[in-house]
Amino acid sequence: MTEQINSGAEQAPDERGDRKSRRGYVVSDKMDKTVVVQLQDNVKHALYGKVMRRSSKVKAHDEQNAAGVGDLVLISETRPLSATKRWRIVEILEKAK
């Protein structure tokens, strides 16, 4: 009974949970400090075994407006920055040709 339960608000910054990171291609950069990144995932069908490509689009924060359409970027999960933006660009891996 003398144990104290730590709430999530009292955690130190280095005890934060693991954050997801993904690679994807920028498909839109028309917004200010925001890009739309398309993520692809290969999923094997449970019954038939065919490998299917599933894609999803996420909005990512781009502070310097450096990323352009077609760039390969590394994005990382972060706190909600707006109603739909929960990712930020860590680095641009490859610029579009």
Side-chain angles (χ1 to χ4, degrees):
M1 288 286 220
T2 59
E3 292 181 30
Q4 291 183 350
I5 299 173
N6 287 340
S7 66
E10 295 176 5
Q11 286 185 345
D14 49 335
E15 295 177 8
R16 199 176 334 181
D18 288 336
R19 296 192 172 192
K20 298 174 194 165
S21 62
R22 302 279 186 264
R23 290 170 37 144
Y25 286 96
V26 176
V27 292
S28 173
D29 63 349
K30 294 180 188 277
M31 295 167 277
D32 186 33
K33 296 188 179 182
T34 304
V35 293
V36 179
V37 179
Q38 185 167 22
L39 307 173
Q40 286 212 327
D41 190 23
N42 292 337
V43 179
K44 194 172 190 178
H45 192 279
L47 179 61
Y48 300 114
K50 181 181 169 90
V51 176
M52 301 175 293
R53 279 195 210 137
R54 287 202 180 150
S55 64
S56 62
K57 292 181 184 177
V58 297
K59 290 182 182 152
H61 185 66
D62 182 14
E63 186 63 40
Q64 289 88 27
N65 280 329
V69 175
D71 292 351
L72 180 64
V73 294
L74 179 67
I75 60 174
S76 177
E77 206 173 31
T78 185
R79 64 182 173 83
L81 299 170
S82 72
T84 57
K85 195 162 45 166
R86 276 114 175 91
W87 298 82
R88 64 179 169 80
I89 292 183
V90 176
E91 66 176 307
I92 299 172
L93 300 173
E94 181 182 317
K95 292 293 270 183
K97 295 178 182 173

